[in-house]
C-alpha cells in the first residue's frame, strides 16, 4: 500500500497511512481540540507539581519557559532526588519485566484451544511473530517504550506507531504537557492531539508548497525569518465518523489525520490523511471512573515528595547553622573573620567577645528518621523496592534460589492490575498495528492456500510470556504441579488415583500457560497416532511373548513323543501296540 513516506522521503515523519480526500470540517476539528484542552486544564497543575518536585527532567508546557529556555535548570525545587531515582528503577524494572529486549516477551496463538493442534498454522504464526520481533529490534521501539515507562508516573504515556521506509516501522514519544487525549464510549483512548513548533522551511519541506498559507509564504520570502520565525502546527487524530464501514478505499479509513496552522482562518488544512488503526496507543497506570487521564505513582507520592523536600531543606539549613551559626558581639567590632584560624582585630579587652547568637541541636536524629521514612514511602509507591528486591535477595546468603524465585513472584504479582492494563491498552495495540503495517508492506512470506484458508477461520490472540506476565500465570502453573504431585503420592497407596490425571491434557495446559513455542509441540493427531503405534507395538510384543511361552511349554511334550516313537521303533512290542505301530512283518496287535 502506498504511504506518504513512499511519495517523498522528506515527508516521512507525517503519521498517515494514506491520503484521504474526504475531510472533516476544520471548524469541527478546532472545536474538538478546544474541548480537549479545556478538559486537560484541570490536570495540568498536578502534572507541573509532579514535574517540579519529583521528575524535573520530563515534560514540556507551553505556558512556561520550557519552549524559550530549554537548557534552564529544572530541579531548583528538589533537595532530595529519591523520586527521580525511584522513577529510573521503575522504568528499568517494567522494561526488563514486561518488554525485555533480550528475550521473547509475547507470542501469537489461536483463541480456540482446538486450533493449537494445527502444527502448520502454528508454524506460520511463529514465523510471523519472529519477523515482527525482528522489526521491533530493528526500529527504535525499545528506546521509546522505556521513555514511556519513565513517563508513566504522571498517569499516562502515549507512543506513536508509524510506517518507515528505512526500518519498516518507527515509534515516537510524546512527553507530558505536549498532548491532549480523548476517549470513546468504552473508555479507551481513541483521540489524540498535539501542538508543536516548526519554522517556514520545515513546513514547506513537510507539507508541500501547494498547501502553505500566505503567512508561511511571506516568511519564506524573508531570509531572516525563514528559520527564526516559529509557527504553531496542530495535529489531530480522531475516529472518522463519516466513513462507511466495509467500504474499501481511502475515503473510509477508520481514523482521520488532520494538520493545520494555528490562527489560520481559511478553513484549509496543511494536510488531511487517515489511518487504518489508531496510531497512538496510550499506556495508563490507573484509571478511576470515566477519566481520560490516569493516575500514577507521581500522584500518590506528591504529598510525601513535597514534605520530603521541605524536611531535607530544613535539615540542610540546620547543618549550615551548626557549621556557620549567626554571631553576636560588641558593637565596636566591625568585622569578624570566621575563617578557621582567622584573626579579628579591634577587640577590646574585657568584652564578651563574639559568640553564636543561639545554639543549634547538633544531632537532629528525629528529622533524619522522618526523611528516611519519607524516602522509603516514595520508593514503595514507585515500586522501586520491588524491582530492587531481587538483586538484594540474591546477595542474601541465607536464601535459596527457590526462595528467591517465590519471593520475586509474590512481589511481582502486586503489579498485576497495572500489567493487565498495560498489556490490554498499550502493548496489544502496538503489536497489532506493527503487524498490520508489516503485512501491508509485504514483509511476511506467502502462506500455502490450504493453511491460509484455515487461518482465515481462526482468531489470533496475543499471549504475553514476559517475566511480569509469567509471574501472573505462575500460580496456575504451581496448581498443575501440585495436582500432579498429589496424584503421584496418592497412587503409591491407591494405584487407581493416577487414572484421574490426563497426562496429555495436563502437558497441553502447562505448555499453553507457559507460552511454549508451537514448533516444539506435536499436533493432537500426531500424538494420537504415536499412542496408537505404541499400543500396536506393545500388543505385538505381548503376542510374541505369548507364542514364545507356548512354544517353550510345548517343547518337553514334543521331546517325549519323539523319545516314545524311537523306543517303539526299537522293537518294544508293548510300546508298538500302545502307539498303534505295526510290528515288522506282521499286523498291528
Amino acid at each position: 500500500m502506498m504511504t506518504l513516506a513512499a511519495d517523498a522521503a522528506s515527508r516521512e515523519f507525517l503519521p498517515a497511512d494514506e491520503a484521504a480526500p474526504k475531510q472533516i470540517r476544520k471548524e469541527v476539528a478546532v472545536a474538538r481540540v478546544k474541548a480537549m484542552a479545556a478538559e486537560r486544564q484541570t490536570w495540568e497543575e498536578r502534572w507541573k507539581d509532579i514535574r517540579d518536585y519529583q521528575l524535573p527532567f520530563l515534560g514540556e508546557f507551553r505556558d512556561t519557559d520550557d519552549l524559550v529556555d530549554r537548557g534552564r535548570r529544572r530541579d531548583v525545587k528538589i533537595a532530595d532526588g529519591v523520586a527521580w531515582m525511584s522513577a529510573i528503577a521503575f522504568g528499568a524494572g517494567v522494561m526488563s519485566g514486561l518488554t525485555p529486549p533480550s528475550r521473547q516477551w509475547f507470542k501469537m496463538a489461536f483463541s480456540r484451544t482446538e486450533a493449537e493442534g494445527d502444527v502448520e498454522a502454528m508454524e506460520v504464526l511463529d514465523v510471523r511473530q519472529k519477523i515482527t520481533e525482528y522489526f521491533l529490534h530493528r526500529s527504535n521501539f525499545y528506546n521509546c517504550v522505556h521513555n514511556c515507562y519513565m513517563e508513566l508516573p504522571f498517569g499516562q504515556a502515549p507512543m506513536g506507531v508509524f510506517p518507515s521506509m528505512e526500518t519498516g516501522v518507527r515509534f515516537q514519544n510524546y512527553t507530558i504537557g505536549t498532548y491532549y487525549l480523548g476517549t470513546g464510549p468504552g473508555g479507551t483512548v481513541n483521540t489524540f492531539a498535539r501542538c508543536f513548533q516548526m519554522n517556514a522551511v520545515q513546513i514547506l519541506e513537510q507539507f508541500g508548497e501547494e498547501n502553505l498559507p500566505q503567512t508561511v509564504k511571506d516568511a519564506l520570502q524573508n531570509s531572516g525569518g525563514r528559520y527564526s520565525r516559529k509557527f504553531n502546527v496542530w495535529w489531530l487524530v480522531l475516529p472518522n465518523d463519516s466513513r462507511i464501514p466495509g467500504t474499501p478505499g481511502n475515503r473510509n479509513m477508520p481514523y482521520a489525520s488532520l494538520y493545520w496552522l494555528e490562527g489560520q482562518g481559511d478553513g484549509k488544512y496543511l494536510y488531511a490523511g487517515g489511518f487504518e488503526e489508531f496510531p497512538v496507543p496510550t499506556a495508563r497506570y490507573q484509571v478511576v471512573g470515566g477519566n481520560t487521564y490516569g493516575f500514577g505513582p507521581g500522584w500518590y507520592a506528591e504529598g510525601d515528595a513535597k514534605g520530603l523536600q521541605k524536611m531535607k531543606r530544613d535539615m540542610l539549613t540546620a547543618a549550615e547553622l551548626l557549621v556557620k551559626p549567626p554571631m553576636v558581639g560588641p558593637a565596636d567590632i566591625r568585622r569578624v573573620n570566621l575563617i578557621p584560624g582567622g584573626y579579628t582585630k579591634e577587640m577590646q579587652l574585657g568584652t564578651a567577645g563574639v559568640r553564636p547568637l543561639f545554639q543549634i541541636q547538633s544531632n537532629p536524629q528525629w528529622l533524619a528518621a522522618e526523611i528516611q521514612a519519607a524516602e522509603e514511602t516514595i520508593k514503595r509507591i514507585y515500586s522501586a523496592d520491588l524491582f530492587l528486591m531481587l538483586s538484594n535477595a540474591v546477595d542474601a546468603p541465607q536464601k535459596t534460589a527457590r526462595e528467591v524465585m517465590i519471593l520475586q513472584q509474590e512481589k511481582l504479582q502486586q503489579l498485576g492490575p497495572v500489567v493487565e492494563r498495560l498489556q490490554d491498552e498499550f502493548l496489544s495495540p502496538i503489536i497489532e498495528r506493527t503487524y498490520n503495517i508489516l503485512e501491508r508492506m509485504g514483509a511476511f512470506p506467502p502462506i500455502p492456500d490450504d493453511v491460509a484458508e484455515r487461518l482465515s477461520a481462526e482468531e489470533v490472540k496475543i499471549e504475553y510470556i514476559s517475566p511480569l506476565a509469567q509471574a501472573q500465570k505462575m500460580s496456575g502453573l504451581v496448581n498443575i504441579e501440585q495436582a500432579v504431585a498429589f496424584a503421584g503420592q496418592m497412587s503409591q497407596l491407591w494405584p487407581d488415583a493416577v487414572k484421574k490425571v490426563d497426562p496429555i491434557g495436563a502437558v497441553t495446559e502447562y505448555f499453553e500457560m507457559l507460552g511454549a513455542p508451537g514448533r516444539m509441540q506435536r499436533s493432537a493427531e500426531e500424538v494420537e497416532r504415536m499412542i496408537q503405534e505404541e499400543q500396536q507395538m506393545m500388543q505385538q510384543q505381548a503376542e510374541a511373548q505369548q507364542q514364545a511361552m507356548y512354544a517353550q511349554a510345548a517343547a518337553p511334550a514334543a521331546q517325549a513323543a519323539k523319545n516314545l516313537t524311537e523306543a517303539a521303533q526299537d522293537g518294544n512290542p508293548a510300546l508298538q501296540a500302545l502307539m498303534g505301530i505295526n510290528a515288522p512283518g506282521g499286523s498291528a496287535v
Side-chain angles (χ1 to χ4, degrees):
M1 180 175 60
M2 182 63 66
T3 63
L4 188 63
D7 293 336
S10 62
R11 302 185 187 183
E12 182 188 350
F13 96 103
L14 290 176
D17 296 330
E18 198 169 328
K22 192 170 186 178
Q23 301 176 7
I24 298 174
R25 289 188 300 115
K26 186 178 177 182
E27 311 88 80
V28 176
V30 173
R32 183 71 177 98
V33 166
K34 288 182 178 180
M36 295 167 67
E39 180 183 5
R40 198 191 79 167
Q41 189 174 5
T42 60
W43 299 77
E44 289 182 3
E45 292 304 317
R46 297 277 66 77
W47 294 343
K48 292 176 183 178
D49 283 350
I50 294 173
R51 192 267 294 271
D52 291 343
Y53 289 93
Q54 300 180 58
L55 309 174
F57 307 110
L58 301 176
E60 188 175 280
F61 297 91
R62 296 180 66 187
D63 58 348
T64 65
D65 294 334
D66 293 342
L67 298 181
V68 297
D69 189 7
R70 296 182 183 275
R72 68 184 177 90
R73 183 175 177 181
R74 300 187 177 190
D75 61 344
V76 293
K77 295 183 179 180
I78 293 180
D80 191 316
V82 66
W84 176 252
M85 298 303 296
S86 298
I88 293 177
F90 173 80
V94 176
M95 178 75 174
S96 60
L98 199 58
T99 54
S102 59
R103 58 162 286 181
Q104 181 183 348
W105 51 273
F106 74 94
K107 70 183 295 289
M108 298 177 184
F110 294 111
S111 298
R112 290 191 319 113
T113 307
E114 296 78 5
E116 298 289 343
D118 192 337
V119 176
E120 291 182 333
M122 288 294 297
E123 290 180 354
V124 170
L125 291 186
D126 288 344
V127 170
R128 295 196 165 202
Q129 170 191 309
K130 292 180 180 179
I131 293 175
T132 303
E133 289 178 347
Y134 165 77
F135 278 99
L136 289 177
H137 279 279
R138 185 183 179 187
S139 68
N140 61 337
F141 168 75
Y142 288 101
N143 290 331
C144 287
V145 77
H146 176 259
N147 291 337
C148 285
Y149 298 147
M150 288 291 294
E151 293 265 348
L152 205 53
F154 288 101
Q156 65 285 319
M159 185 171 71
V161 186
F162 310 118
S164 170
M165 293 299 294
E166 284 76 17
T167 59
V169 64
R170 64 183 181 84
F171 303 85
Q172 184 170 343
N173 288 117
Y174 306 101
T175 189
I176 191 72
T178 63
Y179 55 82
Y180 305 81
L181 301 178
T183 57
T188 58
V189 176
N190 66 350
T191 305
F192 178 89
R194 66 182 292 249
C195 182
F196 55 98
Q197 292 187 335
M198 301 179 69
N199 60 41
V201 175
Q202 291 173 332
I203 295 176
L204 173 64
E205 292 176 350
Q206 302 302 334
F207 299 104
E209 185 176 2
E210 66 278 5
N211 298 318
L212 297 184
Q214 189 60 43
T215 53
V216 178
K217 294 180 180 179
D218 294 341
L220 289 171
Q221 300 300 322
N222 187 342
S223 59
R226 290 170 58 89
Y227 298 97
S228 61
R229 184 177 177 182
K230 300 292 184 179
F231 296 89
N232 291 329
V233 178
W234 281 92
W235 175 44
L236 173 65
V237 178
L238 74 167
N240 186 2
D241 297 333
S242 60
R243 66 185 292 261
I244 303 175
T247 303
N250 52 17
R251 293 177 179 268
N252 292 280
M253 304 187 80
Y255 294 91
S257 175
L258 308 172
Y259 287 83
W260 69 88
L261 199 66
E262 188 176 64
Q264 179 185 354
D266 55 2
K268 296 181 180 179
Y269 292 110
L270 291 174
Y271 177 81
F275 293 100
E276 294 288 353
E277 304 87 20
F278 184 63
V280 193
T282 302
R284 295 188 290 180
Y285 189 91
Q286 183 183 23
V287 180
V288 178
N291 289 335
T292 299
Y293 300 96
F295 298 94
W299 288 77
Y300 310 134
E302 186 176 0
D304 293 281
K306 289 183 177 180
L308 174 63
Q309 306 308 331
K310 189 177 187 309
M311 287 190 295
K312 190 63 178 285
R313 290 184 184 279
D314 290 344
M315 189 171 186
L316 293 175
T317 301
E320 188 176 13
L321 288 173
L322 180 64
V323 176
K324 296 186 293 184
M327 308 298 289
V328 63
D332 58 347
I333 299 179
R334 300 174 182 173
R335 184 176 181 182
V336 178
N337 188 345
L338 298 178
I339 299 176
Y343 177 76
T344 300
K345 297 181 180 181
E346 302 179 357
M347 176 76 71
Q348 294 183 3
L349 297 177
T351 61
V354 179
R355 61 191 182 277
L357 180 61
F358 50 81
Q359 296 295 325
I360 304 299
Q361 185 178 357
S362 61
N363 189 17
Q365 295 181 351
W366 62 272
L367 185 56
E370 290 294 327
I371 290 176
Q372 183 178 4
E375 290 177 343
E376 293 300 323
T377 300
I378 293 174
K379 290 179 182 178
R380 287 195 299 270
I381 293 174
Y382 275 85
S383 301
D385 60 336
L386 187 155
F387 293 111
L388 295 176
M389 171 273 306
L390 181 60
S391 60
N392 297 333
V394 171
D395 296 335
Q398 68 274 17
K399 293 186 180 296
T400 64
R402 179 67 177 177
E403 291 173 339
V404 171
M405 184 182 68
I406 295 175
L407 182 62
Q408 180 192 26
Q409 293 169 4
E410 292 177 351
K411 291 290 186 180
L412 294 181
Q413 286 178 353
Q414 298 177 11
L415 286 176
V418 178
V419 171
E420 290 294 332
R421 180 176 291 277
L422 290 177
Q423 291 176 168
D424 180 58
E425 291 189 355
F426 185 57
L427 295 177
S428 290
I430 288 176
I431 296 174
E432 291 171 4
R433 175 153 169 81
T434 301
Y435 179 92
N436 291 333
I437 289 175
L438 296 177
E439 187 172 37
R440 289 192 288 266
M441 293 175 59
F444 299 127
I447 308 175
D449 294 339
D450 56 336
V451 179
E453 184 177 357
R454 297 199 301 271
L455 282 173
S456 62
E458 298 293 341
E459 180 181 356
V460 178
K461 65 178 180 180
I462 299 172
E463 292 184 350
Y464 293 95
I465 53 177
S466 63
L468 279 175
Q470 290 292 78
Q472 310 305 314
K473 297 180 180 180
M474 194 57 65
S475 59
L477 297 178
V478 172
N479 291 340
I480 295 177
E481 294 175 356
Q482 291 179 346
V484 173
F486 178 75
Q489 294 174 359
M490 292 288 291
S491 64
Q492 296 179 4
L493 298 176
W494 297 280
D496 289 341
V498 76
K499 298 177 181 177
K500 182 66 176 178
V501 180
D502 177 11
I504 302 300
V507 172
T508 302
E509 185 71 17
Y510 198 93
F511 277 14
E512 183 177 353
M513 296 184 66
L514 197 61
R519 184 177 292 273
M520 68 172 290
Q521 305 179 47
R522 291 190 174 98
S523 65
E525 293 78 6
E526 187 176 0
V527 172
E528 182 65 25
R529 178 179 55 80
M530 294 177 63
I531 293 176
Q532 292 180 357
E533 291 178 353
E534 291 179 357
Q535 291 177 348
Q536 292 176 359
M537 185 177 299
M538 293 175 61
Q539 183 177 359
Q540 293 174 358
Q541 292 177 352
E543 293 176 353
Q545 291 177 356
Q546 188 174 13
Q547 292 177 359
M549 292 175 58
Y550 290 157
Q552 186 176 3
Q559 184 64 38
K562 180 180 179 182
N563 294 337
L564 288 174
T565 302
E566 292 177 352
Q569 291 176 352
D570 287 341
N572 189 325
L575 288 176
Q576 290 179 352
L578 179 64
M579 299 180 64
I581 300 176
N582 294 330
S587 60
V589 179

